[in-house]
Amino acid sequence: MEISKKLEVGKITHWGKRKKSKNKREEKKLQIQKAFSESVSVEVIPALESYLVENNRILRVAAYCRVSTYEGSQAGSHELQVQHYKEMIENNPKWEFVGIYADEGVSGTSTRGRINFLRMVDDCYSGKIDLILTKSISRFARNTLDCLDTIRRLRLLRPPVGVFFESENLNTLESKNEFTLGVMSLVAQGESEQKSAAITWSIIERFKKGIPIIPTHNLLGFDKNEYGQVVVAEEEAEIIRYIYDSYLDGASPSEIACSLTNARIPTVIGNEIWKSSSILRILRNEKYCGDVLMQKTFTVDCFTHRKMHNTGQRPQYLLKDGIPAIISKEKWEKVQYLLKTRRYSSTQVTKPETGIFISRVKNGALKGFIHINPKWNKEEIKQVVEKFKDERKI
């Protein structure tokens, strides 16, 4: 099976779908940056008292910003936080700007994955920061234990490092705020749990009504039009057809992966090297014949974010002919049959009860030779070879 001339070696360096969403996010950010760069006449009336300054010391101040998704609507919120705190710190003569620590597209229910949050805490331990500014408790952490533990550890440093939550007007260095902080952290965690449960309910109800959620940014062969409908991306679909046809022609997943790598066809996320596991996932994906199986995986809880393959723990929902097909159902069924019977199958092939079944090559130069099953052990192969020798003597 040859890849068409349209997809010649080295001609495609990346697919366009990831670039589109990135451009939207960049536009949002530029809009905020432009607003902050233009001078607008606004009179600021400062507060008469502030506990965020010390009379004889310049405080080294940093800010922590976070949004939980990469959606375009949150790109503006992220940039707004960054620009707001940068301007706020730099305009205060009693503060020294240390930096902005920002995590984008990361949940606050765990510190895992919040690289810049952890870096900021390390810098506090290194004595580089006296005060951290952040928008709210929910931006800082949505896990009560993580929030209180981090704040208490920072407060025990010498000199102590404070965290100022702007929305709640709360400074962690003031002991009277300990109770309020605990309550607010619980509220933030409760909100997160409630939000997670509401999202899960909404998703399941969509599934029941045959409304699938199909992100296409990492799904080769499909894209979305301006109305959000799933459509076939013809150039990418050609790779999918090549993979299915090659497998039906006898190529193994590793051989297909090598051929795509050698042809310099990038993977859907832009990697140069294909793996056989990626080919197997494509061959097993029912979306390529137009069906959509929903709830293949599920999230165990909203704090660990651990996902599990749904092997019967939750209901699944099959929507037939829900999206445009790239390959025919007959072809997809043939591939599934071969996946079950070839060596890549995870199910064990049952051996005949009456000895080992031996098949022979019926045509060609190797006519009369026997097939060796890769699942046979050494003893079984030895028995078959002995039997073969005896037959040849006769």
Side-chain angles (χ1 to χ4, degrees), residues 137-138 141-145 147-148 178-194 303:
I137 291 173
S138 61
R142 280 191 176 274
N143 182 312
T144 306
L145 192 63
C147 180
L148 294 178
E178 177 72 14
F179 176 74
T180 310
L181 184 64
V183 173
M184 298 299 288
S185 299
L186 275 172
V187 171
Q189 179 173 315
E191 280 178 354
S192 192
E193 290 172 318
Q194 200 176 23
F303 296 106

Side-chain angles (χ1 to χ4, degrees), residues 63 185 219 253 314 321 344 374:
S185 299
L219 183 63
R314 300 280 192 280
D321 302 319
Y344 292 95

Side-chain angles (χ1 to χ4, degrees), residues 63-66 100-104 106-108 110-125 129 132 134 136-137 139-143 146-151 153-154 163 165:
Y64 179 69
C65 310
R66 182 185 67 81
I100 302 289
Y101 298 82
D103 285 315
E104 197 175 1
V106 185
S107 168
S110 167
T111 54
R112 192 183 62 180
R114 288 202 283 158
I115 296 167
N116 288 311
F117 179 85
L118 297 172
R119 186 168 62 85
M120 179 182 70
V121 173
D122 286 342
D123 284 349
C124 290
Y125 275 93
I129 301 171
I132 298 167
T134 190
S136 63
I137 291 173
R139 293 301 96 197
F140 193 75
R142 280 191 176 274
N143 182 312
D146 283 349
C147 180
L148 294 178
D149 182 57
T150 305
I151 286 166
R153 284 191 290 125
L154 294 179
V163 182
F165 301 101

